[in-house]
Amino acid sequence: FCNYQVSLPAHVKKGMQHDDLIRLDGEGNRHPSAYNGDVVIQLKSSNSYGNFQRFDGIHLKTTITISLKEALLGFRREIKHIDLHIVTIERKGIITQHNDVIVISNEGMPIKDDDQGMMYGSSTHGNLHVTVLVRFPSKLSTAILKEFEELF
């Protein structure tokens, strides 16, 4: 029995998930009268990536906060994605409710399996689900309260 260290390259493919296996054929224990063994690597990953959480294997979710003014009049936000590209969220002419979820197609995790992708309507990526939190003012002046009463 020999005890030694060796570096082995392991390619983690896009879309691989927690507990997926990578098999390196013939890279395990060597014995003159037997076949070389295999090295099996089991991936361990959290489902959190900074401000993003993975769910259903291929989708991501995150949260943004907007002001009451933005909820009523519209807003534009740029989010830095896990791979650092920018995702733009823009809503104009639509009132945004607290806890509304905006779904952005093909901005989730890469899909490794064509069958899984077809089940969700895409062959490349899952979706990004953005939950919008509306920040309400802690107090309003009497003049603004009167204007609100007149409007509504």
Side-chain angles (χ1 to χ4, degrees):
F1 176 74
C2 294
N3 187 11
Y4 61 94
Q5 291 183 349
V6 62
S7 294
L8 297 172
H11 180 67
V12 178
K13 297 176 186 170
K14 283 185 175 184
M16 293 189 90
Q17 301 177 27
H18 180 76
D19 284 339
D20 277 356
L21 300 176
I22 300 172
R23 180 178 304 278
L24 304 176
D25 295 326
E27 295 293 342
N29 288 339
R30 292 171 169 78
H31 190 276
S33 61
Y35 293 107
N36 292 346
D38 298 337
V39 172
V40 179
I41 300 167
Q42 184 175 19
L43 298 178
K44 296 294 179 189
S45 168
S46 73
N47 281 331
S48 293
Y49 307 88
N51 294 330
F52 297 88
Q53 293 82 40
R54 187 177 194 163
F55 70 99
D56 286 345
I58 61 169
H59 301 298
L60 289 173
K61 61 183 174 180
T62 192
T63 303
I64 62 171
T65 302
I66 63 172
S67 69
L68 179 58
K69 177 181 173 182
E70 291 172 312
L72 295 172
L73 302 177
F75 67 92
R76 177 185 167 94
R77 284 287 188 289
E78 292 184 345
I79 300 174
K80 191 180 290 187
H81 204 284
I82 294 170
D83 65 1
L84 305 181
H85 81 274
I86 301 298
V87 177
T88 302
I89 301 168
E90 188 167 12
R91 300 218 17 183
K92 299 246 185 246
I94 301 172
I95 293 176
T96 303
Q97 303 289 329
H98 182 72
N99 280 328
D100 271 359
V101 177
I102 300 169
V103 178
I104 304 169
S105 299
N106 293 315
E107 287 292 350
M109 295 300 285
I111 297 173
K112 68 175 181 176
D113 182 345
D114 288 338
D115 293 333
Q116 183 185 30
M118 290 304 115
M119 184 169 72
Y120 289 104
S122 169
S123 60
T124 60
H125 290 79
N127 298 327
L128 173 60
H129 296 245
V130 181
T131 301
V132 181
L133 305 179
V134 178
R135 184 181 61 249
F136 290 88
S138 57
K139 59 183 176 178
L140 295 172
S141 70
T142 310
I144 290 178
L145 287 173
K146 281 185 181 181
E147 287 185 43
F148 269 111
E149 286 178 357
E150 290 175 15
L151 286 172
F152 302 105

